[in-house]
Amino acid sequence: MNIPMEPMRLAVQYTGQMLPKAIVDFTTLAAIGSPILALILEITAKTRKKIFYDKLAQQITALSLILYFIFIFCLAGIATFFIGKMPWLKDWFMNPHSPVMMFYITLGVALLGLIPYKLSWKKLKKNKPLHVLLGLIGSLGGISSIHVATVIMQKFFTLQTKTTSPSIPQVPFYTHFYNVPGNAGLCLSGIYLIMAISFAATAGGLYLVLRRNKDDFGRDYYKFSLPVIAKWALIPTFAQLLAVVGVIYYLTGSNTQILYQNITTASALGTSLGLVILCCAIWIVTCKSETPIRHKIGLGLAPFLMIAAHATLMAGAMNLFLTMPL
């Protein structure tokens, strides 16, 4: 059987182009989702009176700070790179009137809640409402970041359709915060929120494995925590998969044959689906295992598989968009 190499080459090329964005997306969304996950786990610990939930929440909070600082480093690098290529972008990143200022503010609010949330875990052990409030501030800052990022992208790309180097809108930057994106923007924000929880739990599995010897809480803790983190990765990932299928069906409508007639799109989307199914299989096996620590290799590989799945998904979506009839 002759395999057409050009479409396959394009699929690999598009995936390679999308890989850096996939890494940044994974880090960013996992950072945003981690405080939400930690907050839920802490509240669960209080309601169910199980200390292991609290320990797991504390570890996920530490992970979230690491991810946030990696994301800030990546953001600075991305801004420097694109300003070097397109100097007019400096105004968007640096001008106090730029809508990007909203993103910096929400990022600051997230860290303003998250840092004391992490540092006061033991000090506020007997004052859980105040501690939960700090976690809530960190979580809402992250969720607000998703909203303003969606609004900024919508505003920027709308302006870019009119000119290749759009100027900053001549309105106070904070007015954009009240903008409600259309249905497409709301759906995108919803998918990002689901992905944030999914990516946070996926990264959490790797973090627990890496910290196994450093934070040795005993065999019983890891027998409990690894299945919990696997469930939190599995369920949002399944929801994310359904949402992506819905978006693709919305784009193609009744013209679904475009998916399997276009080998580049089909191979990219098929690879993404296969990688996601592989991750789900790892998490299901971990959940059902009596000795989940034995599946640490799979849990450690899952974040990299999800990054690859995200890159191939974007590659397939890009090719689908480019080849769809107008």
Side-chain angles (χ1 to χ4, degrees):
M1 181 176 67
N2 292 327
I3 300 176
M5 298 305 297
E6 182 60 17
M8 301 297 290
R9 186 192 68 79
L10 285 174
V12 173
Q13 177 184 329
Y14 292 155
T15 300
Q17 292 172 353
M18 291 297 176
L19 190 57
K21 184 180 185 307
I23 295 171
V24 174
D25 282 355
F26 183 89
T27 304
T28 305
L29 291 171
I32 291 171
S34 294
I36 302 172
L37 180 56
L39 187 62
I40 294 171
L41 291 170
E42 183 182 12
I43 294 172
T44 304
K46 183 67 176 177
T47 55
R48 295 191 181 182
K49 301 187 184 304
K50 287 189 176 181
I51 190 63
F52 283 167
Y53 278 114
D54 198 74
K55 289 183 179 294
L56 179 56
Q58 191 171 0
Q59 284 191 296
I60 297 299
T61 304
L63 169 65
S64 66
L65 276 176
I66 295 170
L67 291 170
Y68 260 113
F69 288 124
I70 292 174
F71 159 63
I72 291 171
F73 176 79
C74 290
L75 180 64
I78 291 168
T80 303
F81 174 80
F82 280 107
I83 289 172
K85 297 287 184 181
M86 296 172 282
W88 57 269
L89 276 175
K90 183 177 181 179
D91 214 28
W92 279 83
F93 285 109
M94 305 294 291
N95 193 314
H97 299 290
S98 170
V100 177
M101 294 299 116
M102 293 188 303
F103 185 78
Y104 297 153
I105 291 171
T106 56
L107 179 62
V109 169
L111 291 175
L112 190 65
L114 187 57
I115 292 173
Y117 181 62
K118 170 64 176 72
L119 297 178
S120 65
W121 206 284
K122 292 182 179 179
K123 293 180 181 178
L124 295 178
K125 188 176 181 179
K126 295 183 178 180
N127 192 351
K128 281 295 183 183
L130 178 57
H131 193 252
V132 167
L133 178 61
L134 292 172
L136 186 61
I137 292 171
S139 299
L140 290 177
I143 294 171
S144 298
S145 296
I146 293 177
H147 167 65
V148 299
T150 304
V151 170
I152 291 166
M153 286 190 295
Q154 185 182 53
K155 177 62 67 176
F156 179 82
F157 290 121
T158 299
L159 292 173
Q160 202 173 36
T161 59
K162 301 174 183 177
T163 174
T164 54
S165 54
S167 309
I168 293 173
Q170 297 302 307
V171 294
F173 74 88
Y174 56 82
T175 59
H176 298 286
F177 189 81
Y178 305 108
N179 291 353
V180 178
N183 291 335
L186 290 174
C187 288
L188 185 62
S189 295
I191 292 174
Y192 278 155
L193 186 56
I194 295 171
M195 290 168 66
I197 302 296
S198 167
F199 289 172
T202 303
L206 172 61
Y207 185 76
L208 290 181
V209 168
L210 292 177
R211 298 288 297 184
R212 170 68 177 86
N213 294 324
K214 191 76 173 179
D215 300 332
D216 190 4
F217 296 137
R219 183 179 297 273
D220 288 342
Y221 170 73
Y222 289 98
K223 186 177 180 180
F224 169 85
S225 61
L226 291 179
V228 169
I229 208 70
K231 288 177 184 176
W232 274 103
L234 176 64
I235 296 172
T237 298
F238 185 70
Q240 173 191 332
L241 184 60
L242 293 178
V244 169
V245 170
V247 170
I248 292 174
Y249 181 77
Y250 173 79
L251 291 174
T252 59
S254 59
N255 192 25
T256 53
Q257 66 269 21
I258 194 173
L259 294 176
Y260 51 83
Q261 288 178 350
N262 187 319
I263 298 175
T264 302
T265 298
S267 58
L269 294 180
T271 300
S272 179
L273 177 61
L275 291 170
V276 171
I277 291 174
L278 178 57
C279 287
C280 289
I282 291 170
W283 295 323
I284 290 171
V285 170
T286 302
C287 289
K288 292 182 174 296
S289 176
E290 290 294 324
T291 53
I293 194 64
R294 291 184 180 179
H295 305 289
K296 59 185 178 182
I297 294 177
L299 291 171
L301 288 175
F304 303 101
L305 296 176
M306 286 297 288
I307 290 171
H310 187 50
T312 50
L313 173 64
M314 290 190 293
M318 179 178 71
N319 190 69
L320 176 63
F321 178 78
L322 292 174
T323 55
M324 282 184 65
L326 298 176

